[in-house]
Amino acid sequence: MKQYTFLVFLFLIFTSCSKELSFENKTFEKKSNLPCKTDCPIIIIDIPIAKNIPVVTDSINKKIFLVIKEITYFGEKPIQLNDYKALTASFIESYEEMHQKFPNETFGWEGKIKGNVEFESGQIINIKIDHYTFTGGAHGYQGYRSLLFNPKTGKTIFSDQIFKNEKEFKAFAEKAFRAKYKIPEKANINATGLMFENDKFQLPQNIFYTEEGLLLYYNSYEAASYADGPKEILFPYDEVNKYLLYQ
């Protein structure tokens, strides 16, 4: 009996140690109960949930939730929201409150959030969040967010932490960016109509690890007008590995 108990104990230890970090997408959806015929308000969040390693997954899941909350929360005052069901409900409640105040000016609120594991290695995990929100006005806003994590700790890796020498990579990236978008080497970076702050080239807020290479992605308004759309440039890893701390 003692030997059997010992074997069960060893089995439990083995199975718990063999668990690996994994992700499972879950969908959260909420519609307004107010009557509507077309463009009925709705929010859908389809997001990867980290599993199996509690400390690591808690860190990753909390960060992803905070970013989704930042994208979708439209209340005027800070509020404590702890899960996606509460977050989707809050989005619809904001619409319904606005509709009561301005019944002829509010229609078709929409939120669509889609997350996926864009890249995963032993050194880094990249979660890509594709988001679209419309809360009135001439058009909605669509963009991408890149979230980088250490797979061993679950801690966030900020984009400026992925480089051995960010200044060197930035000079390399600017040269390639100018070549792609036909900006003369000695001309102002905004000479062709771009909108870089302080007329100086900057790395984007979102950098993605992809299967094809390292992607620099500038959302609308970050480097150009909404009409000009987002800008991007992809570097094969064999060109940029020498600059990267994580691969």
Side-chain angles (χ1 to χ4, degrees):
M1 183 65 180
K2 289 183 178 180
Q3 184 179 8
Y4 173 78
T5 303
F6 179 71
L7 290 173
V8 171
F9 177 71
L10 287 179
F11 174 77
L12 291 174
I13 291 177
F14 175 77
T15 54
S16 63
C17 292
S18 64
K19 284 186 176 180
E20 296 182 354
L21 179 65
S22 65
F23 293 86
E24 178 184 1
N25 268 54
K26 291 188 177 181
T27 302
F28 305 87
E29 180 178 331
K30 182 72 174 179
K31 298 178 181 179
S32 173
N33 290 323
L34 296 179
C36 68
K37 294 182 179 179
T38 60
D39 297 324
C40 298
I42 186 172
I43 179 169
I44 302 173
I45 298 175
D46 181 4
I47 206 73
I49 306 294
K51 304 190 305 178
N52 292 340
I53 308 176
V55 175
V56 175
T57 57
D58 286 350
S59 179
I60 293 174
N61 290 333
K62 284 179 181 178
K63 177 62 177 180
I64 294 174
F65 178 79
L66 287 174
V67 171
I68 302 300
K69 179 181 175 181
E70 176 187 325
I71 293 169
T72 61
Y73 177 63
F74 288 91
E76 296 180 356
K77 298 179 181 179
I79 189 172
Q80 189 70 27
L81 297 171
N82 297 316
D83 58 60
Y84 288 104
K85 288 184 178 179
L87 189 58
T88 54
S90 174
F91 182 89
I92 296 300
E93 287 169 7
S94 294
Y95 162 78
E96 292 178 347
E97 290 175 4
M98 187 67 68
H99 184 73
Q100 287 181 351
K101 294 178 182 178
F102 309 101
N104 297 322
E105 298 179 15
T106 54
F107 62 92
W109 276 34
E110 184 179 11
K112 289 185 178 179
I113 317 296
K114 172 68 176 177
N116 68 278
V117 180
E118 182 77 0
F119 183 88
E120 188 172 5
S121 74
Q123 294 185 316
I124 197 164
I125 293 172
N126 192 180
I127 304 295
K128 178 182 180 181
I129 298 176
D130 180 354
H131 59 93
Y132 171 81
T133 53
F134 176 78
T135 56
H139 53 73
Y141 180 78
Q142 190 275 333
Y144 296 125
R145 291 287 295 269
S146 174
L147 301 180
L148 303 170
F149 298 100
N150 183 321
K152 296 180 177 63
T153 65
K155 291 183 178 180
T156 299
I157 299 173
F158 296 98
S159 58
D160 61 349
Q161 297 175 327
I162 67 176
F163 303 109
K164 297 175 182 177
N165 187 312
E166 185 182 18
K167 184 177 180 181
E168 289 183 2
F169 177 77
K170 184 177 175 182
F172 164 80
E174 179 174 0
K175 186 176 181 180
F177 185 92
R178 284 176 177 271
K180 178 176 180 177
Y181 290 103
K182 298 181 172 60
I183 305 169
E185 182 179 351
K186 295 184 179 180
N188 186 296
I189 191 67
N190 292 333
T192 60
L194 295 179
M195 298 169 57
F196 280 98
E197 188 175 357
N198 298 322
D199 294 328
K200 292 183 179 180
F201 176 81
Q202 300 292 340
L203 296 178
Q205 297 174 13
N206 296 280
I207 298 177
F208 293 92
Y209 280 73
T210 74
E211 294 300 325
E212 294 76 26
L214 193 74
L215 176 66
L216 308 190
Y217 190 87
Y218 298 85
N219 282 301
S220 297
Y221 299 119
E222 191 176 349
S225 67
Y226 180 85
D228 288 334
K231 304 296 179 185
E232 62 181 74
I233 185 166
L234 179 69
F235 296 104
Y237 287 116
D238 58 4
E239 293 183 10
V240 297
N241 276 342
K242 62 183 178 181
Y243 298 107
L244 299 176
L245 285 171
Y246 302 93
Q247 298 176 19

